[in-house]
Amino acid sequence: MALINLSYRTNFLHTYFKTTAVIPDTNKSSYQTLWLLHGYTGDDSAWIRHTNIEKLARKYEIAVIMPEARNAFYTDSDFIPYYSYFVDELIPKIRALLPVSAAVSDNYIAGSSMGGYGALKIGLKNPDIFSKVAALSPITDIVHFRNNPETPMATNTFDTIFDYPDKIAKNQLVNIVSNKNYGQKIMTICGNEDYMYQDNIDFKNFMTQKIGPNYTFHEVTGNHSWDTWTANIETIFKWL
């Protein structure tokens, strides 16, 4: 099992960003790949610190790419055009450096909390890159997240990223999902004590209507924490 720590200068962001990758040691020339996103205040080491990602990558023979996103919300802002960086620079860079497949059927994206939002947004907007999308305790309504008293993100930080109403509307997940059947498989998981539980139930109802049988929801026991995500991350690997 190879644990690779990458640090590189990005032309999009004009600074150095990090990515941690786990590559199974079965010597394949091209691996199925899970792009695994961290949540608010996390970094590229978050999943390694809190879960058994190396063991799961070995068990399921899936390469796992864990990019640093800081607190950019996987969104283009005036300060950090993170979404464009991820799609247009990071993915080609990783594919040039590591033995990961470029086939749509072999590429999946997942994350937790802010990373769950990022996975859903990036995945839904790029069905030509990702065939499956999964999210643990995702932020499914960014306005409700901003205004929720349990939200850890300061409102002025949120407003720096989503700085005008049209931008908020364009980045709401329900507005990104269309009536078109992308053919993607999508799954969300949420704990029954999560402070965004009702938002996730509302999103489940919306997705069930829009996507139909290609969408799966799991309600689990737990809250908005690594305890819940650690207990349920293998559900995503099995599903992939």
Side-chain angles (χ1 to χ4, degrees):
M1 179 65 63
L3 177 64
I4 302 170
N5 298 305
L6 300 169
S7 178
Y8 46 83
R9 186 182 187 280
T10 158
N11 293 323
F12 269 75
L13 308 182
H14 306 294
T15 188
Y16 286 84
F17 262 62
K18 299 177 296 176
T19 294
T20 296
V22 174
I23 308 294
D25 52 7
T26 49
N27 299 319
K28 291 182 180 179
S29 60
S30 181
Y31 286 92
Q32 293 175 300
T33 305
L34 172 61
W35 302 80
L36 188 58
L37 311 184
H38 68 75
Y40 183 66
T41 74
D43 68 2
D44 59 300
S45 71
W47 286 98
I48 293 293
R49 291 174 185 269
H50 293 281
T51 72
N52 56 348
I53 285 298
E54 285 187 273
K55 180 180 178 181
L56 293 172
R58 181 185 300 113
K59 180 178 179 179
Y60 293 95
E61 290 195 21
I62 294 176
V64 183
I65 309 299
M66 296 163 282
E68 176 187 14
R70 301 182 188 175
N71 294 330
F73 233 98
Y74 302 94
T75 296
D76 283 346
S77 67
D78 291 340
F79 182 60
I80 299 180
Y82 193 87
Y83 172 85
S84 295
Y85 153 73
F86 188 101
V87 174
D88 296 329
E89 186 176 23
L90 176 65
I91 292 175
K93 182 185 291 290
I94 294 300
R95 287 177 173 173
L97 292 172
L98 299 176
V100 295
S101 174
V104 177
S105 59
D106 290 338
N107 276 268
Y108 325 118
I109 189 167
S112 63
S113 192
M114 183 187 77
Y117 166 81
L120 288 166
K121 181 172 75 173
I122 294 171
L124 288 165
K125 293 183 72 171
N126 294 277
D128 57 332
I129 299 177
F130 305 103
S131 60
K132 293 183 178 180
V133 183
L136 289 155
S137 307
I139 297 165
T140 56
D141 187 315
I142 55 177
V143 174
H144 287 182
F145 171 78
R146 178 195 184 276
N147 297 328
N148 192 309
E150 295 189 56
T151 293
M153 191 177 202
T155 55
N156 61 344
T157 302
F158 179 94
D159 294 342
T160 299
I161 300 170
F162 301 103
D163 52 355
Y164 55 90
D166 283 352
K167 188 170 185 181
I168 292 174
K170 289 178 181 177
N171 283 280
Q172 280 284 38
L173 293 178
V174 294
N175 295 332
I176 292 170
V177 178
S178 73
N179 291 320
K180 179 181 178 182
N181 184 346
Y182 294 115
Q184 290 173 308
K185 302 293 185 181
I186 301 162
M187 179 171 68
T188 61
I189 300 171
C190 186
N192 56 6
E193 298 178 4
D194 195 297
Y195 74 91
M196 292 186 291
Y197 172 77
Q198 188 57 52
D199 286 349
N200 273 261
I201 293 300
D202 292 343
F203 187 71
K204 177 203 76 168
N205 294 336
F206 174 83
M207 292 295 285
T208 299
Q209 180 182 8
K210 290 288 186 180
I211 304 298
N214 282 350
Y215 173 74
T216 302
F217 174 76
H218 292 291
E219 179 177 320
V220 298
T221 301
N223 56 14
H224 199 85
S225 71
W226 278 107
D227 289 339
T228 303
W229 307 331
T230 300
N232 292 282
I233 183 62
E234 188 167 5
T235 298
I236 291 176
F237 277 83
K238 290 179 180 178
W239 178 72
L240 297 179

